[in-house]
């Protein structure tokens, strides 16, 4: 790289539109959408789509709700010509969908284009010719007058052929190619000449497409260019102002949104940003940006994963896992602080509330995603993410202090393996740590002894010893603790107790979480699950004491038999 890049590159000059209005504009409705996946997107593929993949892509675009689809460049490719013919001859184009085809400003190519459209109910013929200084002077060797003459002559030709092909309702689109690199005064001159040659009226509008063929400037400058055209072109009420951004600077979405604010009516782009070089503007991105602002995009992405799978199959290009809205990881938080915020916000949210959720600008369920992958656990995660997965997948709702205790256990496993843990992995750790599935049935037997007291008999597996417990207390838990303390050198007491149910009906189970103090040195949690709430509570006590025994904190009275 050059130490002084200004010796080779020049900054794009600002427009000087000091009274611009677009910064204060608000997008309140969807633009007209034109998918160019089958043309601009397809021509950029290492291996262009075959007919079957093109058909699959076309059918998906229709399902999503596109009403205008650019289906090919029939004068440049026999494959594209045959595809257009197949759509028409097999009646595959819905009545409310208009196909669009592209052609250069050359008579034989235009004639071939109209040949491809015979029998279509309606279609748009998209004419382009290069207008930028570098193209005029270096590539084409034409002056400004000759460029205007070229555009006008071929517009008139298309008008004559459209009038003659009466069975098809022909619309017209013109692109001053490389608008993003063309002088505004000359762009206006060409566009005005074309709209006059087409005979544009409010009843017979022409589509004027302003392409950022190469993205040269920051998005605000491109917006100024669009607003300048919007305000200065003749016959504006007879024009649909279309925008065709590319993404060479990585700001295609911003440029498109600013351009709509600046007066654009229509957006041309591809799903997931397919296209030449860094791609056309990403229509999924723009559409769902609108959706998150409360504006219907009039496109259906309620099964975003199916749209992504279809696009990946047809283009053979992967969608990045961090792609906005569609990436595999885009709704996933690994960070502990993020996870904690999301968990608390989900707990506080009520059905019907406005969506205000930390780190989630859109509800994944609106796009067909489940909440399963919202929180995933790796070495960056904290207690919130761990407890969220246990609650979401297994129904256990850990008390806060238990979350803290168990997260340290999980973190130790993570530090050792360095790998991401699934909900099943975390449940396995939880099961092993608290002995959920290994503790034997306690078979408690309780009886009233009067004056609000109960007697309880049970067996308890404390890891290092199994004991027969008999005690009295104000309830089963108190009686069990009193019976256990008869065996222990250091008294056990209950500091806190939580319980809830999992499931409902005959399959319902109770979960009990007890925080225990063993002697004066150790505070430890135990967890028990059972169909009976009393058994679940006693299992939780036994769970905690087994964990205390593993740490060497459980001592037995020497004179008490097991």
């Amino acid at each position: 790289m050059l130490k002084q890049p200004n010796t080779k590159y020049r900054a794009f000059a600002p427009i000087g539109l000091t009274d611009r209005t677009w910064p204060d504009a608000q997008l309140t409705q969807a633009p007209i959408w034109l998918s160019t996946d089958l043309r601009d997107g397809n021509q950029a593929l290492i291996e262009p789509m075959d007919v079957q993949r093109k058909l699959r892509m076309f059918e998906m675009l229709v399902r999503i709700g596109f009403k205008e689809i650019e289906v090919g460049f029939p004068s440049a490719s026999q494959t594209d010509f045959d595809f257009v013919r197949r759509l028409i001859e097999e009646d595959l184009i819905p009545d409310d969908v208009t196909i669009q085809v592209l052609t250069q400003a050359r008579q034989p190519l235009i004639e071939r284009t109209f040949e491809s459209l015979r029998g279509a109910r309606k279609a748009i013929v998209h004419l382009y010719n290069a207008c930028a200084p570098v193209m005029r002077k270096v590539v084409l060797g034409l002056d400004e007058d000759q460029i205007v003459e070229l555009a006008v002559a071929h517009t008139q030709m298309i008008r004559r052929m459209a009038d003659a092909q009466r069975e098809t309702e022909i619309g017209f689109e013109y692109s001053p190619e490389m608008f993003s690199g063309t002088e505004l005064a000359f762009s206006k001159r060409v566009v005005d000449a074309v709209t006059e040659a087409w005979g544009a009226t409010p009843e017979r509008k022409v589509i004027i497409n302003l392409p950022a063929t190469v993205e040269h400037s920051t998005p605000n400058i491109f917006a100024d260019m669009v607003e300048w055209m919007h305000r200065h072109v003749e016959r504006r009420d007879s024009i649909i102002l279309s925008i065709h951004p590319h993404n060479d600077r990585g700001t295609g979405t911003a440029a498109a949104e600013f351009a709509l604010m600046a007066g654009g009516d229509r957006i041309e782009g591809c799903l997931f940003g397919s296209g030449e070089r860094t791609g056309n503007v990403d229509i999924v991105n723009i559409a769902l940006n609108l959706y998150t602002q409360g504006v219907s995009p009039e496109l259906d992405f309620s099964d975003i994963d199916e749209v992504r799978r279809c696009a990946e199959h047809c283009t053979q290009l992967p969608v990045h896992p961090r792609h906005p809205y569609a990436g595999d990881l885009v709704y996933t938080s690994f960070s502990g602080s993020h996870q904690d915020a999301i968990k608390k916000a989900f707990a506080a949210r009520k059905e019907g509330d406005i969506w205000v959720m930390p780190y989630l600008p859109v509800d994944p369920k609106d796009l067909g995603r489940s909440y399963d992958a919202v929180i995933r656990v790796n070495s960056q995660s904290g207690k919130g993410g761990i407890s969220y997965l246990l609650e979401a997948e297994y129904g256990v709702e850990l008390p806060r202090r238990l979350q803290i205790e168990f997260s340290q256990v999980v973190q130790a496993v993570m530090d050792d393996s360095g790998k991401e843990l699934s909900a099943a992995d975390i449940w396995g750790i939880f099961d092993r740590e608290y002995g959920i599935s290994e503790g034997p049935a306690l078979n408690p037997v309780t009886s009233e002894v009067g004056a609000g007291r109960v007697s309880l008999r049970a067996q308890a597996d404390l890891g290092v010893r199994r004991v027969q417990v008999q005690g009295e207390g104000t309830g089963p838990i108190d009686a069990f603790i009193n019976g256990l303390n008869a065996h222990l050198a250091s008294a056990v007491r209950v500091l806190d107790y939580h319980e809830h149910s999992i499931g409902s009906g005959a399959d319902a189970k109770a979960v009990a979480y007890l925080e225990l103090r063993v002697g004066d040195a150790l505070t430890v949690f135990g967890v028990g699950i059972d169909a009976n709430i009393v058994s679940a509570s006693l299992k939780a006590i036994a769970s905690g004491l087994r964990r205390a025994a593993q740490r060497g904190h459980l001592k037995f009275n020497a004179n008490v038999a097991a």
Side-chain angles (χ1 to χ4, degrees), residues 78 85 97 124 131 136 148 157 214 219 237 413 427 509 561:
Q78 186 64 44
R85 293 308 308 154
V97 172
I124 298 168
C131 296
R136 298 194 310 257
V148 173
M157 180 184 303
V214 178
D237 63 350
V413 175
W427 176 258
K509 290 185 177 181

Side-chain angles (χ1 to χ4, degrees), residues 216-243:
H216 292 299
S217 69
T218 52
N220 61 303
I221 292 178
F222 184 69
D224 281 352
M225 296 174 71
V226 172
E227 182 165 340
W228 191 95
M229 290 291 286
H230 168 64
R231 288 159 57 173
H232 288 90
V233 292
E234 297 174 8
R235 290 170 283 276
R236 179 63 181 92
D237 63 350
S238 304
I239 291 173
I240 297 170
L241 198 60
S242 185
I243 313 297

Side-chain angles (χ1 to χ4, degrees), residues 249-384:
R249 294 171 54 90
T251 56
T253 295
E257 292 179 331
F258 286 0
L260 290 175
M261 294 159 64
D265 306 308
R266 182 176 185 261
I267 288 289
E268 298 191 357
C270 294
L271 299 176
F272 309 115
S274 294
E276 298 281 11
R277 303 178 310 278
T278 55
N280 290 266
V281 74
D282 182 347
I283 285 184
V284 176
N285 203 346
I286 301 173
L288 292 176
N289 282 355
L290 286 172
Y291 183 79
T292 64
Q293 301 301 300
V295 177
S296 171
E298 299 178 14
L299 296 175
D300 183 5
F301 292 112
S302 58
D303 191 350
I304 194 70
D305 288 333
E306 175 56 28
V307 174
R308 188 192 73 238
R309 283 191 293 268
C310 179
E312 288 180 328
H313 169 77
C314 293
T315 65
Q316 300 186 59
L317 295 174
V319 173
H320 196 281
R322 293 295 183 185
H323 178 283
Y325 303 112
D328 280 335
L329 297 176
V330 73
Y331 304 114
T332 299
S333 286
F334 290 104
S335 162
S337 60
H338 290 199
Q339 294 173 346
D340 186 58
I342 291 170
K343 180 178 182 294
K344 289 174 179 174
F346 267 125
R349 187 174 186 276
K350 299 180 180 61
E351 189 65 33
D353 286 353
I354 291 294
W355 184 259
V356 181
M357 186 66 60
Y359 309 111
L360 290 173
V362 67
D363 187 347
K365 283 194 173 180
D366 289 357
L367 306 182
R369 288 278 185 90
S370 71
Y371 293 142
D372 294 351
V374 167
I375 289 177
R376 287 162 61 174
V377 172
N378 66 8
S379 59
Q380 304 300 311
S381 306
K383 63 184 184 303

